[in-house]
Amino acid sequence: CQDLSTNLERRNCMTDFVNKHIGENFNTSIADSLSPGKKRVFVQFKIDTEGNVKNIKARGPSEALEIEAERVLSTLPQFVPGKQKGKLVTVPYSLPIVFQVAEPKKD
C-alpha cells in the first residue's frame, strides 16, 4: 500500500488487506453453537513504530470468538510503520468482524 499517493487510498488498501486476511483465516465454525443470525466481534489493535501488531483486544458474543479474533490478528505480517511529520508513530486500528450464523440443518 506504500505506493499509493493519498492517505485515503493507503487506508482503504490496508483495510482490504486486513479484511482479506481475516476472511481467509477466521474459523467461523466456532460460532456454530451460538444462536443463528449476524454476529459481530469488535477488534482493536495497534501497529507499533516497528510495524508489529500489538495490544490486540476483542469483544464479541462469546469468549471463543474473541480468542479466535485475537489469534487471527496475531498472524498478520509485520507492516511498514506509520509516519507523521517525518517521525514513526504507533497507529491504532479498529474494525468489526461480521459474519452470519446459519440455522442448524434439520435431518
Side-chain angles (χ1 to χ4, degrees):
C1 298
Q2 283 181 287
D3 300 340
L4 300 172
S5 58
T6 68
N7 282 340
L8 179 61
E9 289 174 322
R10 285 189 288 270
R11 184 177 14 205
N12 289 340
C13 177
M14 168 77 170
T15 300
D16 290 344
F17 175 80
V18 172
N19 286 337
K20 181 180 177 189
H21 180 81
I22 291 169
E24 291 173 353
N25 295 288
F26 195 91
N27 181 3
T28 56
S29 66
I30 291 172
D32 288 348
S33 63
L34 299 176
S35 61
K38 191 178 281 190
K39 304 298 176 198
R40 287 182 175 85
V41 180
F42 295 96
V43 293
Q44 296 178 326
F45 61 94
K46 293 180 180 179
I47 300 171
D48 68 11
T49 55
E50 295 176 6
N52 299 311
V53 175
K54 299 284 185 178
N55 301 335
I56 303 168
K57 297 177 185 167
R59 292 191 56 180
S62 77
E63 185 177 359
L65 286 175
E66 292 172 359
I67 291 169
E68 177 64 4
E70 291 173 10
R71 182 196 68 79
V72 170
L73 289 174
S74 69
T75 64
L76 282 167
Q78 186 171 13
F79 291 98
V80 174
K83 284 186 180 180
Q84 187 171 28
K85 298 180 182 175
K87 293 185 178 181
L88 296 177
V89 295
T90 298
V91 178
Y93 202 84
S94 62
L95 72 147
I97 299 172
V98 182
F99 57 94
Q100 186 76 23
V101 176
E103 293 276 343
K105 293 180 181 176
K106 299 188 182 193
D107 293 334

